[in-house]
Amino acid sequence: MTPAVRFRGVSRHFGEVRAVDNVDLDVAPGEFFAMLGPSGSGKTTCLRLIAGFERPTSGSIEIFGEPSTNIPPYRRPVNTVFQDYALFPHLNVTDNVAFGLMVAGVGKAEREQEAQKTLELVALPGFGDRKPSQLSGGQRQRVALARALVNKPKVLLLDEPLGALDLKLREQMQEELKSLQRKLGITFIFVTHDQGEALSMADRVAVFDHGRIQQVGTPEDIYDRPQTPFVADFVGSSNVLSPQLAERLAGVRAHASLRPESIRLDAGGHAATVVTRNFLGAATRLTLDLDGEKVSVLLPKGADVPATGDRVHISWDADALHVMDTRND
Amino acid sequence: MTETDRVSLAGRLSDQLWRWPTLLVVLLIAPPALWLGIIYLGSLFALLAQSFFSIDEFSGLIRYEFTLSTYAELFRPSNFDIIVRTVAMAASVTLASAIIAFPVAYYAARYARGRWKALFYLGVMLPLWSSYLVKVYSWKLILAKEGILSWLFQTLHLTGLLEAYLSIPVLGGNSLSVSWTGTFLVFVYVWLPFMILPIQASLERVPVSMLEASGDLGANPGQTFRHVLLPLALPGLIAGSIFTFSLTLGDYIIPQIVGTSARMIGQAVYQFQGTAGNIPLAAAFAVVPILIMGVYLYIAKRQGAFDAL
């Protein structure tokens, strides 16, 4: 099957800065794909390379098998939901949504009807006459979504789509985006720095750091079997154990990942000292000193919480300690 | 002893101003408001009031009675020609300035950074630092029959082209420096900065993502210009055109130094209030640019020019 988007050896350098560095990537058609990473990791530049706002310094990009390196943005079958939404302030909501159809030469009556239908799809009917400045952040986001979807793109790109929304609205939009994607069957590629968002929404996640892809996989893969210390630390703030400690605990000399929530306080097991404790609401986070290395433990509500300075013993299931690939040190 | 007893007089004054912020605003705004209201607008209205008087044709004295006859005089062919000529000149100067200014402003707003931006501001502002008269006289020399421009045409063996252009009625003349084309060129040169800067300021406020979004939605560069960039830059374009248009409408020095003997509104005002001693007619002429600008702004607003503000 032809991938929706294919990167082969793609680099984008800005002077000395390697924003994207030799990236290979295949996104399957109909997939909900997340690009996850801290700011400056190259994820947004990758998105802009797909949209055509940036051109690769080297390498090739294909969209549904079409070489796209030399195709300008306005001829690509992709549409973008911008981080700042980029709604046109001089046009009302209907004209904003109908913009793509207007420049494509669709008649006024037909494009307004299409815009209306798409606004209903994103649950924002009846706002057609308003100007973007009269809408709330969440409503603007829906308009931006409708404006992209009305063109029936083959790939929809979303740049930090929920970044500007408050927590409640963000959770609601996550659900809606997911069901929308399932309903339309369009390939969604979205960029986020929020690992929770990536894990909960995406079919597959690519984790970026320093312009390179660290790992691509399902959310379970990324979370349970991180391949590099960076992935382990960035996704779910796992404990990354040094090769020395891992050798003592598991007998393999390599970096290892140990999820804070999979550690139990037991009578037996390894001895450690409580350094700090933080109440998080649903859980309490302890920082322990285990043979000179810091280890976080997440205790669920209701568990007995030791005091700072206490001597405790910790243990975990054998498969909770994940020994990582040593290639990317 | 309370805290306030220990502070100085100035300190107590600033404390009072902090407690009554309205007082501070009144103190700040009152002097300029008085200046603007009495000296500036007051004298303007005094001038306009003159336009409703008339002049006694025999004695040459002003009759202080309300009449519209002075306005009727504006429609005499010799006077109306002046108005039409001036408006046509102002409109073409504005259009040409906008066409030249837009790419310059766009470059400065989108691409120029750091030192290039400083260079842009310097380049645009530098001509404003030298005397307007010096610039206009320099242009007279540039455009003169033995000037550098005819020399250039001669060197390129294109003298025929220049002569053919000068033989066009209305636009041409004996030489560029005594033609309407010459007046037009000097106007465009002198007012161009007033068009570039507002356009640049308005383009500066257009986020790049707006243009990317347009392209992303399938608009080619031409469509993006027409449907996104131009509407968003329109407030700046209108602001610039107010400058170039109204400055051209009122100027009386440039057409006197470079151009034909036919007068423009500014020259008419100058002559009627001076040598001719006809203050009412001069005042009526002065009302014309104000009315034209009013109508222009009204139409601009109706067309939605300020919607993106």
Side-chain angles (χ1 to χ4, degrees), chain A residues 36 195 199 207 219 222-223 230-238 259:
Chain A
L36 174 67
Q195 45 109 357
L199 296 181
V207 184
I222 300 278
Y223 192 83
F230 174 81
V231 175
D233 181 51
F234 189 74
V235 181
S237 318
S238 190
R259 293 286 169 198

Side-chain angles (χ1 to χ4, degrees), chain B:
Chain B
M1 205 164 99
T2 62
E3 197 65 28
T4 42
D5 292 334
R6 272 182 278 119
V7 290
S8 67
L9 185 66
R12 255 179 289 166
L13 189 67
S14 65
D15 288 0
Q16 287 300 324
L17 287 177
W18 180 80
R19 281 179 210 121
W20 283 291
T22 328
L23 185 65
L24 179 67
V25 174
V26 168
L27 284 177
L28 279 176
I29 207 76
L34 287 177
W35 172 271
L36 190 73
I38 296 172
I39 301 182
Y40 186 79
L41 288 178
S43 48
L44 186 66
F45 281 115
L47 171 77
L48 297 187
Q50 297 276 344
S51 65
F52 293 104
F53 302 142
S54 62
I55 198 146
D56 190 299
E57 300 220 350
F58 295 107
S59 62
L61 296 173
I62 297 170
R63 263 202 307 259
Y64 293 100
E65 280 165 33
F66 176 82
T67 172
L68 290 175
S69 65
T70 312
Y71 279 104
E73 268 194 65
L74 288 181
F75 292 94
R76 250 198 245 161
S78 62
N79 289 337
F80 198 67
D81 275 357
I82 296 178
I83 295 172
V84 171
R85 189 181 298 132
T86 310
V87 171
M89 176 61 82
S92 34
V93 167
T94 301
L95 193 68
S97 304
I99 291 171
I100 298 170
F102 202 95
V104 179
Y106 186 76
Y107 168 79
R110 275 293 307 274
Y111 299 107
R113 292 284 170 270
R115 192 180 301 181
W116 287 106
K117 195 119 184 172
L119 205 65
F120 159 79
Y121 280 118
L122 196 69
V124 174
M125 308 276 237
L126 199 61
L128 296 177
W129 298 352
S130 63
S131 160
Y132 159 89
L133 279 177
V134 170
K135 285 184 287 183
V136 177
Y137 273 108
S138 315
W139 270 96
K140 191 175 180 68
L141 294 180
I142 293 171
L143 298 172
K145 209 168 183 65
E146 291 83 25
I148 189 167
L149 213 59
S150 11
W151 171 81
L152 190 69
F153 274 98
Q154 204 177 353
T155 315
L156 297 171
H157 302 289
L158 292 171
T159 309
L161 201 68
L162 182 62
E163 306 224 306
Y165 182 82
L166 285 174
S167 66
I168 299 172
V170 185
L171 297 180
N174 227 340
S175 80
L176 278 175
S177 67
V178 293
S179 71
W180 282 113
T181 306
T183 320
F184 167 82
L185 287 175
V186 179
F187 269 132
V188 171
Y189 170 79
V190 174
W191 304 145
L192 195 59
F194 299 102
M195 184 63 102
I196 293 177
L197 292 175
I199 296 182
Q200 187 247 350
S202 69
L203 287 176
E204 203 85 54
R205 298 210 320 244
V206 178
V208 179
S209 65
M210 212 68 85
L211 306 179
E212 288 178 345
S214 174
D216 186 69
L217 294 165
N220 62 39
Q223 290 171 317
T224 298
F225 176 78
R226 181 162 149 33
H227 296 296
V228 180
L229 194 57
L230 198 57
L232 293 178
L234 209 53
L237 260 168
I238 298 285
S241 67
I242 290 169
F243 286 126
T244 57
F245 198 74
S246 64
L247 287 170
T248 310
L249 281 182
D251 194 88
Y252 69 99
I253 296 174
I254 290 174
Q256 197 179 315
I257 299 173
V258 179
T260 70
S261 58
R263 289 173 300 169
M264 288 179 57
I265 288 180
Q267 289 165 291
V269 172
Y270 180 71
Q271 282 169 6
F272 281 124
Q273 63 83 36
T275 44
N278 191 343
I279 299 266
L281 189 56
F285 261 114
V287 171
V288 174
I290 298 174
L291 276 182
I292 291 172
M293 288 314 294
V295 171
Y296 175 66
L297 286 180
Y298 175 73
I299 293 172
K301 185 167 163 35
R302 281 279 302 269
Q303 297 294 316
F306 306 113
D307 287 4
L309 275 183

